[in-house]
Amino acid sequence: MPSVIRDARSFRTERPWGARDLVEIEGATARLHWTDQPYRWHVNDGAELFCVLDGEVDMHYRLDGSEHVARLAAGDMFVAEIGDEHVAHPVGEARILVFERKGSV
């Protein structure tokens, strides 16, 4: 049965990085996250697509041993390939759509 999601810009959870599972497609998941706190530095076991729906997020990532930061606004996306170390820091509240391998951190 098709679904219409109308609350993506107002979605909220009880804890930072809480998520609503939206769909699984051939071993990958799409999850809607709400947060007002940074995540943690990590490396995914598969590629990850990170799309800011509401708010702003400073995406920190390491490249050749140096830390870089990209400010993402609503509509901006970040792609982390396998092995890319990164961490998201919301600027206030943010709602993020994440596509990643099911069970990934």
Side-chain angles (χ1 to χ4, degrees):
M1 180 170 149
S3 298
V4 176
I5 299 162
R6 297 191 188 273
D7 67 342
R9 293 181 63 186
S10 62
F11 174 72
R12 190 175 175 90
T13 60
E14 296 292 319
R15 61 179 175 77
W17 293 100
R20 178 189 299 158
D21 292 332
L22 300 175
V23 66
E24 181 181 338
I25 302 169
E26 298 181 17
T29 59
R31 302 181 83 203
L32 175 59
H33 290 268
W34 170 86
T35 191
D36 62 353
Q37 300 293 317
Y39 195 59
R40 61 179 168 79
W41 281 100
H42 66 286
V43 175
N44 294 82
D45 59 357
E48 175 183 42
L49 173 65
F50 185 96
C51 178
V52 177
L53 297 178
D54 186 60
E56 291 183 321
V57 175
D58 285 341
M59 183 60 77
H60 298 247
Y61 59 98
R62 293 192 176 124
L63 184 61
D64 298 326
S66 297
E67 186 174 330
H68 302 269
V69 179
R71 169 86 33 115
L72 305 175
D76 291 340
M77 293 181 235
F78 178 84
V79 176
E81 299 291 346
I82 296 171
D84 290 343
E85 191 174 12
H86 59 285
V87 61
H89 289 249
V91 180
E93 289 190 21
R95 286 149 187 96
I96 304 116
L97 185 60
V98 178
F99 296 89
E100 62 191 345
R101 179 178 290 175
K102 183 177 180 180
S104 192
V105 293

